[in-house]
Short mmCIF file of all heavy atoms in Angstrom, two decimals:
data_model
loop_
_atom_site.label_atom_id
_atom_site.label_comp_id
_atom_site.label_asym_id
_atom_site.label_seq_id
_atom_site.Cartn_x
_atom_site.Cartn_y
_atom_site.Cartn_z
N LEU A 285 7.35 -11.19 -4.38
CA LEU A 285 6.48 -10.47 -5.24
C LEU A 285 6.00 -11.29 -6.41
O LEU A 285 4.95 -11.03 -7.06
CB LEU A 285 7.18 -9.20 -5.76
CG LEU A 285 6.43 -8.10 -6.48
CD1 LEU A 285 5.23 -7.56 -5.57
CD2 LEU A 285 7.19 -6.92 -6.87
N ASP A 286 6.74 -12.38 -6.76
CA ASP A 286 6.35 -13.20 -7.97
C ASP A 286 4.94 -13.69 -7.94
O ASP A 286 4.18 -13.81 -8.90
CB ASP A 286 7.33 -14.34 -8.08
CG ASP A 286 8.68 -13.83 -8.59
OD1 ASP A 286 8.79 -12.67 -8.91
OD2 ASP A 286 9.59 -14.66 -8.76
N ASN A 287 4.53 -14.16 -6.69
CA ASN A 287 3.20 -14.75 -6.48
C ASN A 287 2.04 -13.73 -6.87
O ASN A 287 1.10 -14.09 -7.59
CB ASN A 287 2.92 -15.32 -5.16
CG ASN A 287 3.64 -16.56 -4.87
OD1 ASN A 287 3.85 -17.40 -5.83
ND2 ASN A 287 3.97 -16.88 -3.59
N LEU A 288 2.24 -12.52 -6.41
CA LEU A 288 1.22 -11.46 -6.68
C LEU A 288 1.25 -11.11 -8.21
O LEU A 288 0.26 -10.99 -8.75
CB LEU A 288 1.55 -10.24 -5.93
CG LEU A 288 1.07 -10.23 -4.53
CD1 LEU A 288 1.63 -8.98 -3.66
CD2 LEU A 288 -0.33 -10.39 -4.24
N LEU A 289 2.48 -11.05 -8.80
CA LEU A 289 2.56 -10.84 -10.32
C LEU A 289 1.95 -11.89 -10.97
O LEU A 289 1.21 -11.70 -12.03
CB LEU A 289 3.98 -10.59 -10.62
CG LEU A 289 4.75 -9.36 -10.08
CD1 LEU A 289 6.20 -9.40 -10.37
CD2 LEU A 289 4.02 -8.05 -10.58
N ARG A 290 2.23 -13.15 -10.64
CA ARG A 290 1.64 -14.32 -11.38
C ARG A 290 0.07 -14.29 -11.28
O ARG A 290 -0.60 -14.52 -12.25
CB ARG A 290 2.04 -15.57 -10.79
CG ARG A 290 3.51 -16.08 -11.30
CD ARG A 290 3.78 -17.55 -10.99
NE ARG A 290 5.09 -17.86 -11.39
CZ ARG A 290 6.08 -17.84 -10.61
NH1 ARG A 290 5.89 -17.57 -9.28
NH2 ARG A 290 7.37 -18.13 -10.99
N ALA A 291 -0.39 -14.01 -10.05
CA ALA A 291 -1.83 -13.88 -9.92
C ALA A 291 -2.43 -12.78 -10.86
O ALA A 291 -3.47 -13.02 -11.43
CB ALA A 291 -2.15 -13.58 -8.50
N GLY A 292 -1.70 -11.66 -10.86
CA GLY A 292 -2.21 -10.66 -11.73
C GLY A 292 -2.15 -10.93 -13.22
O GLY A 292 -3.12 -10.67 -13.90
N LEU A 293 -1.12 -11.63 -13.69
CA LEU A 293 -1.08 -12.07 -15.16
C LEU A 293 -2.22 -13.02 -15.40
O LEU A 293 -2.85 -12.98 -16.43
CB LEU A 293 0.28 -12.62 -15.42
CG LEU A 293 1.45 -11.70 -15.35
CD1 LEU A 293 2.72 -12.34 -15.57
CD2 LEU A 293 1.24 -10.60 -16.47
N GLY A 294 -2.51 -13.93 -14.45
CA GLY A 294 -3.50 -14.88 -14.62
C GLY A 294 -4.84 -14.19 -14.61
O GLY A 294 -5.86 -14.82 -15.14
N SER A 295 -4.97 -13.07 -14.08
CA SER A 295 -6.27 -12.29 -14.05
C SER A 295 -6.43 -11.25 -15.07
O SER A 295 -7.23 -10.43 -15.11
CB SER A 295 -6.46 -11.66 -12.74
OG SER A 295 -6.41 -12.56 -11.64
N ARG A 296 -5.32 -11.23 -16.04
CA ARG A 296 -5.33 -10.26 -17.14
C ARG A 296 -5.25 -8.91 -16.56
O ARG A 296 -6.01 -8.00 -17.00
CB ARG A 296 -6.55 -10.49 -18.08
CG ARG A 296 -6.71 -11.91 -18.68
CD ARG A 296 -7.81 -12.02 -19.51
NE ARG A 296 -7.95 -13.36 -20.00
CZ ARG A 296 -9.06 -13.85 -20.74
NH1 ARG A 296 -9.91 -13.15 -20.96
NH2 ARG A 296 -9.05 -15.12 -21.10
N MET A 297 -4.36 -8.71 -15.65
CA MET A 297 -4.29 -7.39 -14.92
C MET A 297 -3.82 -6.33 -15.88
O MET A 297 -2.97 -6.59 -16.80
CB MET A 297 -3.35 -7.52 -13.74
CG MET A 297 -1.93 -7.61 -14.10
SD MET A 297 -0.87 -7.42 -12.56
CE MET A 297 0.75 -7.56 -13.41
N GLN A 298 -4.21 -5.14 -15.51
CA GLN A 298 -3.55 -3.94 -16.16
C GLN A 298 -2.45 -3.36 -15.26
O GLN A 298 -1.57 -2.84 -15.74
CB GLN A 298 -4.66 -2.76 -16.47
CG GLN A 298 -5.61 -3.36 -17.46
CD GLN A 298 -7.01 -2.58 -17.41
OE1 GLN A 298 -7.32 -2.08 -16.27
NE2 GLN A 298 -7.66 -2.51 -18.45
N ALA A 299 -2.61 -3.63 -13.97
CA ALA A 299 -1.57 -3.11 -13.05
C ALA A 299 -1.76 -3.84 -11.76
O ALA A 299 -2.82 -4.32 -11.30
CB ALA A 299 -1.81 -1.59 -12.88
N LEU A 300 -0.64 -3.92 -11.04
CA LEU A 300 -0.55 -4.34 -9.59
C LEU A 300 -0.29 -3.10 -8.77
O LEU A 300 0.72 -2.43 -9.00
CB LEU A 300 0.42 -5.43 -9.37
CG LEU A 300 0.81 -5.69 -7.95
CD1 LEU A 300 -0.38 -6.38 -7.25
CD2 LEU A 300 2.04 -6.59 -7.89
N VAL A 301 -1.16 -2.70 -7.92
CA VAL A 301 -0.96 -1.44 -7.13
C VAL A 301 -0.55 -1.77 -5.69
O VAL A 301 -1.32 -2.38 -4.95
CB VAL A 301 -2.34 -0.68 -7.15
CG1 VAL A 301 -2.11 0.69 -6.43
CG2 VAL A 301 -2.80 -0.52 -8.61
N LEU A 302 0.63 -1.28 -5.33
CA LEU A 302 1.21 -1.40 -3.94
C LEU A 302 1.29 -0.08 -3.40
O LEU A 302 2.13 0.72 -3.81
CB LEU A 302 2.52 -2.08 -4.02
CG LEU A 302 2.56 -3.45 -4.82
CD1 LEU A 302 3.95 -3.95 -4.80
CD2 LEU A 302 1.64 -4.53 -4.12
N GLU A 303 0.47 0.23 -2.33
CA GLU A 303 0.44 1.59 -1.88
C GLU A 303 0.59 1.58 -0.34
O GLU A 303 -0.16 0.74 0.33
CB GLU A 303 -0.86 2.36 -2.25
CG GLU A 303 -0.92 3.79 -1.91
CD GLU A 303 -2.09 4.52 -2.46
OE1 GLU A 303 -2.85 3.82 -3.29
OE2 GLU A 303 -2.24 5.63 -2.23
N PRO A 304 1.50 2.33 0.31
CA PRO A 304 1.68 2.29 1.72
C PRO A 304 0.32 2.45 2.50
O PRO A 304 -0.50 3.31 2.21
CB PRO A 304 2.54 3.42 2.04
CG PRO A 304 3.35 3.64 0.75
CD PRO A 304 2.35 3.29 -0.26
N GLY A 305 0.15 1.52 3.56
CA GLY A 305 -1.09 1.69 4.43
C GLY A 305 -2.28 1.05 3.81
O GLY A 305 -3.37 1.09 4.36
N ARG A 306 -2.26 0.45 2.57
CA ARG A 306 -3.44 -0.13 1.98
C ARG A 306 -3.11 -1.56 1.52
O ARG A 306 -2.00 -1.98 1.44
CB ARG A 306 -3.82 0.71 0.71
CG ARG A 306 -4.28 2.14 1.10
CD ARG A 306 -4.84 2.83 -0.06
NE ARG A 306 -6.06 2.17 -0.48
CZ ARG A 306 -6.84 2.57 -1.61
NH1 ARG A 306 -6.41 3.60 -2.35
NH2 ARG A 306 -7.93 1.96 -1.91
N LEU A 307 -4.20 -2.33 1.32
CA LEU A 307 -4.08 -3.67 0.81
C LEU A 307 -3.58 -3.70 -0.66
O LEU A 307 -3.98 -2.82 -1.45
CB LEU A 307 -5.38 -4.46 0.87
CG LEU A 307 -6.01 -4.62 2.30
CD1 LEU A 307 -7.34 -5.34 2.25
CD2 LEU A 307 -5.05 -5.49 3.21
N PRO A 308 -2.70 -4.66 -1.09
CA PRO A 308 -2.37 -4.77 -2.51
C PRO A 308 -3.67 -4.98 -3.30
O PRO A 308 -4.59 -5.66 -2.90
CB PRO A 308 -1.52 -6.03 -2.50
CG PRO A 308 -0.86 -6.12 -1.14
CD PRO A 308 -2.03 -5.56 -0.26
N ARG A 309 -3.57 -4.37 -4.60
CA ARG A 309 -4.78 -4.37 -5.36
C ARG A 309 -4.41 -4.70 -6.79
O ARG A 309 -3.26 -4.38 -7.29
CB ARG A 309 -5.51 -3.14 -5.37
CG ARG A 309 -5.89 -2.58 -3.91
CD ARG A 309 -6.68 -1.39 -3.85
NE ARG A 309 -6.18 -0.19 -4.48
CZ ARG A 309 -5.08 0.49 -3.92
NH1 ARG A 309 -4.43 0.18 -2.77
NH2 ARG A 309 -4.62 1.62 -4.56
N LEU A 310 -5.30 -5.45 -7.52
CA LEU A 310 -5.20 -5.68 -8.92
C LEU A 310 -6.11 -4.74 -9.70
O LEU A 310 -7.27 -4.60 -9.30
CB LEU A 310 -5.48 -7.11 -9.26
CG LEU A 310 -4.46 -8.17 -8.89
CD1 LEU A 310 -4.93 -9.56 -9.33
CD2 LEU A 310 -3.02 -7.88 -9.39
N ARG A 311 -5.58 -4.18 -10.76
CA ARG A 311 -6.52 -3.34 -11.65
C ARG A 311 -6.83 -4.15 -12.85
O ARG A 311 -5.97 -4.59 -13.64
CB ARG A 311 -5.77 -2.11 -12.03
CG ARG A 311 -6.82 -1.07 -12.83
CD ARG A 311 -5.99 0.18 -13.25
NE ARG A 311 -5.61 0.83 -12.06
CZ ARG A 311 -4.41 1.63 -11.94
NH1 ARG A 311 -3.68 1.65 -12.98
NH2 ARG A 311 -4.14 2.28 -10.85
N VAL A 312 -8.08 -4.60 -12.93
CA VAL A 312 -8.58 -5.35 -14.03
C VAL A 312 -9.78 -4.69 -14.68
O VAL A 312 -10.78 -4.30 -13.93
CB VAL A 312 -8.97 -6.73 -13.53
CG1 VAL A 312 -9.45 -7.65 -14.72
CG2 VAL A 312 -7.77 -7.49 -12.88
N ASP A 313 -9.69 -4.50 -15.97
CA ASP A 313 -10.89 -3.84 -16.71
C ASP A 313 -11.21 -2.45 -16.00
O ASP A 313 -12.36 -2.12 -15.97
CB ASP A 313 -12.12 -4.68 -16.68
CG ASP A 313 -11.95 -6.00 -17.50
OD1 ASP A 313 -11.02 -5.98 -18.37
OD2 ASP A 313 -12.61 -6.93 -17.19
N GLY A 314 -10.13 -1.77 -15.61
CA GLY A 314 -10.29 -0.45 -15.08
C GLY A 314 -10.73 -0.42 -13.63
O GLY A 314 -10.80 0.61 -13.02
N GLU A 315 -11.04 -1.52 -13.02
CA GLU A 315 -11.45 -1.62 -11.61
C GLU A 315 -10.41 -2.26 -10.78
O GLU A 315 -9.64 -3.14 -11.26
CB GLU A 315 -12.79 -2.41 -11.49
CG GLU A 315 -13.98 -1.78 -12.26
CD GLU A 315 -15.28 -2.52 -12.09
OE1 GLU A 315 -15.19 -3.65 -11.40
OE2 GLU A 315 -16.22 -2.08 -12.54
N GLU A 316 -10.34 -1.87 -9.51
CA GLU A 316 -9.39 -2.36 -8.59
C GLU A 316 -10.00 -3.24 -7.57
O GLU A 316 -11.18 -2.94 -7.13
CB GLU A 316 -8.59 -1.19 -7.86
CG GLU A 316 -7.70 -0.39 -8.82
CD GLU A 316 -6.87 0.62 -8.00
OE1 GLU A 316 -6.98 0.76 -6.80
OE2 GLU A 316 -6.05 1.36 -8.64
N ARG A 317 -9.34 -4.31 -7.29
CA ARG A 317 -9.89 -5.32 -6.23
C ARG A 317 -8.70 -5.67 -5.38
O ARG A 317 -7.51 -5.92 -5.86
CB ARG A 317 -10.65 -6.44 -6.77
CG ARG A 317 -9.74 -7.44 -7.59
CD ARG A 317 -10.50 -8.82 -7.70
NE ARG A 317 -9.70 -9.80 -8.38
CZ ARG A 317 -9.69 -9.98 -9.68
NH1 ARG A 317 -10.45 -9.22 -10.49
NH2 ARG A 317 -8.90 -10.88 -10.22
N GLU A 318 -9.00 -5.87 -4.04
CA GLU A 318 -7.93 -6.21 -3.04
C GLU A 318 -7.64 -7.78 -3.29
O GLU A 318 -8.48 -8.47 -3.49
CB GLU A 318 -8.40 -5.92 -1.61
CG GLU A 318 -8.68 -4.47 -1.43
CD GLU A 318 -9.40 -4.23 -0.15
OE1 GLU A 318 -10.03 -5.13 0.41
OE2 GLU A 318 -9.54 -3.04 0.34
N VAL A 319 -6.32 -8.12 -3.09
CA VAL A 319 -5.91 -9.50 -3.32
C VAL A 319 -5.30 -10.17 -2.07
O VAL A 319 -5.05 -11.39 -2.12
CB VAL A 319 -4.96 -9.56 -4.47
CG1 VAL A 319 -5.67 -9.29 -5.72
CG2 VAL A 319 -3.78 -8.67 -4.30
N THR A 320 -5.00 -9.47 -1.03
CA THR A 320 -4.48 -10.08 0.27
C THR A 320 -5.28 -9.39 1.36
O THR A 320 -5.99 -8.42 1.20
CB THR A 320 -3.03 -9.96 0.45
OG1 THR A 320 -2.70 -8.63 0.74
CG2 THR A 320 -2.19 -10.37 -0.84
N ARG A 321 -5.03 -10.00 2.56
CA ARG A 321 -5.65 -9.30 3.75
C ARG A 321 -4.70 -8.56 4.62
O ARG A 321 -5.00 -8.20 5.71
CB ARG A 321 -6.42 -10.40 4.55
CG ARG A 321 -5.48 -11.51 5.00
CD ARG A 321 -6.27 -12.70 5.64
NE ARG A 321 -5.48 -13.79 6.02
CZ ARG A 321 -4.91 -13.89 7.24
NH1 ARG A 321 -5.06 -12.95 8.17
NH2 ARG A 321 -4.22 -14.99 7.53
N THR A 322 -3.52 -8.37 4.12
CA THR A 322 -2.46 -7.67 4.83
C THR A 322 -2.04 -6.37 4.21
O THR A 322 -1.58 -6.35 3.01
CB THR A 322 -1.13 -8.52 5.02
OG1 THR A 322 -1.62 -9.73 5.62
CG2 THR A 322 -0.14 -7.94 5.95
N ALA A 323 -2.18 -5.28 4.88
CA ALA A 323 -1.81 -3.95 4.26
C ALA A 323 -0.19 -3.86 4.39
O ALA A 323 0.42 -4.45 5.19
CB ALA A 323 -2.44 -2.88 5.06
N LEU A 324 0.28 -3.17 3.39
CA LEU A 324 1.83 -3.02 3.28
C LEU A 324 2.19 -1.53 3.65
O LEU A 324 1.50 -0.60 3.28
CB LEU A 324 2.29 -3.30 1.85
CG LEU A 324 1.85 -4.65 1.30
CD1 LEU A 324 2.33 -4.74 -0.20
CD2 LEU A 324 2.44 -5.82 2.08
N ASP A 325 3.37 -1.51 4.33
CA ASP A 325 3.86 -0.15 4.63
C ASP A 325 4.93 0.16 3.59
O ASP A 325 5.31 -0.82 2.72
CB ASP A 325 4.39 -0.03 6.06
CG ASP A 325 5.48 -1.07 6.39
OD1 ASP A 325 6.06 -1.65 5.43
OD2 ASP A 325 5.69 -1.38 7.57
N GLY A 326 5.43 1.35 3.59
CA GLY A 326 6.44 1.71 2.64
C GLY A 326 7.69 0.86 2.66
O GLY A 326 8.26 0.50 1.66
N GLU A 327 8.14 0.48 3.91
CA GLU A 327 9.36 -0.29 3.95
C GLU A 327 9.17 -1.73 3.41
O GLU A 327 10.04 -2.23 2.78
CB GLU A 327 9.66 -0.41 5.45
CG GLU A 327 10.89 -1.27 5.77
CD GLU A 327 11.34 -1.41 7.24
OE1 GLU A 327 10.63 -0.65 8.03
OE2 GLU A 327 12.09 -2.14 7.64
#
């Protein structure tokens, strides 16, 4: 998880959003953008 968190901090993120069945997203300036091409499940 560190790589995603570092990327988020480097992008001045407000949040890193991990939601089952969806791609990880960074929330920056109130907008969300996908940061990988692999969707995550709950496990």
